[in-house]
Amino acid sequence: MEKLDLAKAYKPYYTAPTKPELVVFEPISYVTIVGKGDPNGAAFANATEALYTVAYGVKGHYKKLEKDFTVAKLEGQWWVDGDPRTALEVSREEWHWKLLIRMPTYVSAEIVEEARSAAMAKKKELKVIADVGYETLHEGLCVQMLHVGPYATEPETLAQMEHFISQEQLSYRGLHHEIYLSDPRKIDPAKMKTILRYPVQAIEVVKG
């Protein structure tokens, strides 16, 4: 039985250069969970565990149907109340986040719900499993770039992206999106790789 590897099947989604580029993405489905607070805190850790628990439950269901797949990389959307680009100007406790794991196109909402219910019964102590959902996002036109290094130096990469967006006469149209290609528990922070992405749109020029 061949196992679907989403990172190989959708290379443009899981790769980016070390300079800003424009890309376009179709609607994509994910298992998701929303929360708030410091990403080093217990709420974030519990949400991550809950999300993976459901994702592996979905994987197990489809493996029995001989449609196995590799559970994809963790992703996150980040914002604060107000301007979504001011996260570094407020306390980390004020950060909102939505964690995502991409699902194959053949995954259905019904199977995700079955996996979530099974996970809730198996891990009763992990109550946030109840908050895991299934949704489709359509980010469309995006600017993205590969950030190499610790999360703390992301502002340097984001500044390059902002300059590119301005040069291309674009404006922000959605939330800051990250794809975590590296496991921070297993790699030197200086070598970590994270795709940074923003949905954008062309600025309308009003002619007088």
Side-chain angles (χ1 to χ4, degrees):
M1 176 176 57
E2 186 176 354
K3 181 187 294 187
L4 173 64
D5 186 335
L6 293 170
K8 293 179 179 178
Y10 300 98
K11 285 186 179 180
Y13 186 86
Y14 288 101
T15 58
T18 52
K19 59 182 181 180
E21 68 169 357
L22 280 171
V23 289
V24 178
F25 296 110
E26 72 284 0
I28 298 169
S29 296
Y30 308 81
V31 288
T32 66
I33 188 167
V34 177
K36 180 181 179 182
D38 190 332
N40 291 322
F44 189 91
N46 289 338
T48 303
E49 182 182 354
L51 192 64
Y52 271 108
T53 300
V54 174
Y56 275 99
V58 174
K59 167 189 167 68
H61 173 90
Y62 283 98
K63 185 175 182 179
K64 293 176 183 176
L65 301 177
E66 297 190 346
K67 298 175 75 173
D68 194 13
F69 63 92
T70 301
V71 172
K73 300 289 187 181
L74 181 67
E75 307 179 37
Q77 291 182 312
W78 298 83
W79 70 98
V80 294
D81 292 332
D83 186 340
R85 289 172 289 140
T86 58
L88 296 178
E89 299 174 13
V90 302
S91 164
R92 291 159 67 97
E93 296 297 334
E94 297 301 313
W95 290 3
H96 295 267
W97 33 263
K98 177 187 287 185
L99 302 179
L100 315 96
I101 296 177
R102 182 173 180 163
M103 291 283 106
T105 55
Y106 52 74
V107 169
S108 71
E110 291 76 17
I111 299 307
V112 172
E113 177 57 28
E114 285 184 19
R116 186 175 73 96
S117 297
M120 289 173 63
K122 185 177 180 180
K123 291 190 173 183
K124 293 184 174 64
E125 74 286 355
L126 192 60
K127 298 187 182 302
V128 291
I129 290 175
D131 298 331
V132 175
Y134 178 70
E135 63 182 284
T136 299
L137 301 178
H138 187 193
E139 292 184 301
L141 181 66
C142 295
V143 171
Q144 68 175 15
M145 180 176 171
L146 181 67
H147 173 71
V148 180
Y151 301 132
T153 60
E154 281 187 14
E156 300 167 14
T157 301
L158 292 172
Q160 294 182 58
M161 295 172 67
E162 186 166 2
H163 179 69
F164 177 85
I165 288 169
S166 176
Q167 277 193 321
E168 296 295 316
Q169 294 188 308
L170 301 168
S171 63
Y172 295 92
R173 188 183 46 81
L175 297 175
H176 174 75
H177 187 164
E178 301 185 345
I179 302 178
Y180 307 107
L181 303 179
S182 306
D183 186 337
R185 300 168 300 177
K186 301 177 181 179
I187 191 170
D188 180 346
K191 297 179 180 179
M192 289 199 307
K193 295 181 178 180
T194 309
I195 294 175
L196 307 184
R197 183 178 293 159
Y198 264 113
V200 293
Q201 62 188 0
I203 297 175
E204 293 186 8
V205 177
V206 179
K207 296 181 179 180

